[in-house]
Amino acid sequence: MKFFNYWAMVIFIALSSFAANAEISVFEFSNADNELRFNHLVQELRCPKCQNNNLADSNAGLALDLKTIVFEQIEEGKTDKEIVEFLKARYGDFISYRPPLKPSTWIIWFGPFVFLAIGGFAIFKIVTARQNSAERINTESDAIDAQAMVARWSDDVSDSQLEPSSDQTDTSEKQGPAQ
Amino acid sequence: MSEEEKKTAAKKKLWLYLIPLFLFFAMTLLLFSGLGKDPTKLESQLIGKPVPEFEKLRLLDPSLSITQNELQGPALINVFASWCPSCYTEHPYLMKLAQSGEVRIYGLNYRDKRDAALNFVNKLGNPYDLIVHDDKGRVGIELGVYGAPETFVIDGSNQIVYRYVGVVTEEVWQKILKPKMLHDQPSAAKHTSAQEVTEAGEGK
């Protein structure tokens, strides 16, 4: 049964792709270039009826009408831009999957770059802040090391110089608690 | 670092930490504002423009043609078809509205077969003053129609004032369409014919 379902699915997928191909070839183009332009345009134009389909993928009646219009206008020698403008004048920017550049669409065009810049700036700030604090710790610890060295060195010096007397002080100190 | 310096530094840091929160609220507002909108209801591109030119046959009398000049605003242009289920839903109210004499309604029979469309109006009644038989849907495309039912409001100078997508009910008429028509009555007085409007439009 499972085996049968698998093959039924394969056959279904194969057949449905044939159906999609058959639908496109309804139009008879005068030359191959026009057909290329048509196929490109209907990929980029959105079907107003079906929200998330382009004209190429949609079988809605309106999509077919609009494809017919695109076909006719290409054959009439209109440019791609003229055809898109014709449709935009009737259906708005919605018809095109390429949003135009204008104030209301700035956020979708520049938004990602703005966020990228903010993120990049934040990372830059964090990294430099971290480096600065790391450097400060290093210099601070260096200073502590130097102080310690100086202290040790002076200790050594005073120890060697004051060796005789140090014994005295030692004894006096030792005597101290005894008193 | 003195106490004072430490305090200002801490304040600066607090602001820095609050930036993502503000960004979050800004995004929330932006996205929330789009939440209630119905993406299937597109605003018409023809608002403020005259009814596009066309020449079609009349549905009821195919021996006569009809052009945009036969339509006289202020009026409604109702896009309907016999294949459209929602058109059956709104039809009784359109009958009532037409009978009330409040507004003239023109019909645009969209992508329909003549027989089926005639059957629709003969059986259910005809609320339309005139019906354009837009068999190929070309007038629909000129108007930016993407489905049925759709209802356009045109003013006295045959300019498109509004497009409503969906079923017209008493509420839709009273709250949305009627105010649009009343609003444009002053300009309706200025122009007497559609011819004048197209001339004025070309003058711009």
Side-chain angles (χ1 to χ4, degrees), chain B residues 14-27:
Chain B
L14 186 68
W15 277 106
L16 210 65
Y17 284 134
L18 284 176
I19 286 173
L21 189 69
F22 287 133
L23 278 177
F24 169 74
F25 277 123
M27 282 292 280

Side-chain angles (χ1 to χ4, degrees), chain B residues 35-37 48-50 54 73 104 113 123 126 128 132 158 174 184 188:
Chain B
L35 207 58
K37 285 183 192 163
K49 291 186 181 149
F54 64 87
R104 213 180 356 254
K113 290 196 175 77
K123 263 194 184 157
N126 180 12
Y128 307 109
V132 181
N158 276 20
Q174 292 293 348
D184 284 281

Side-chain angles (χ1 to χ4, degrees), chain A residues 97-119:
Chain A
Y97 270 118
R98 284 176 188 272
L101 193 57
K102 58 182 188 181
S104 65
T105 61
W106 281 355
I107 190 159
I108 50 177
W109 277 102
F110 303 124
F113 299 105
V114 169
F115 282 113
L116 191 71
I118 292 173

Side-chain angles (χ1 to χ4, degrees), chain A residues 49 65 72 90-92, chain B residues 39 45 111 138 142 145-146:
Chain A
K49 181 76 192 158
D65 289 355
E72 284 172 3
R90 285 152 185 79
Y91 290 96
Chain B
Q45 297 300 307
R111 295 185 104 254
R138 287 304 169 96
E142 288 299 322
V145 168
Y146 61 94

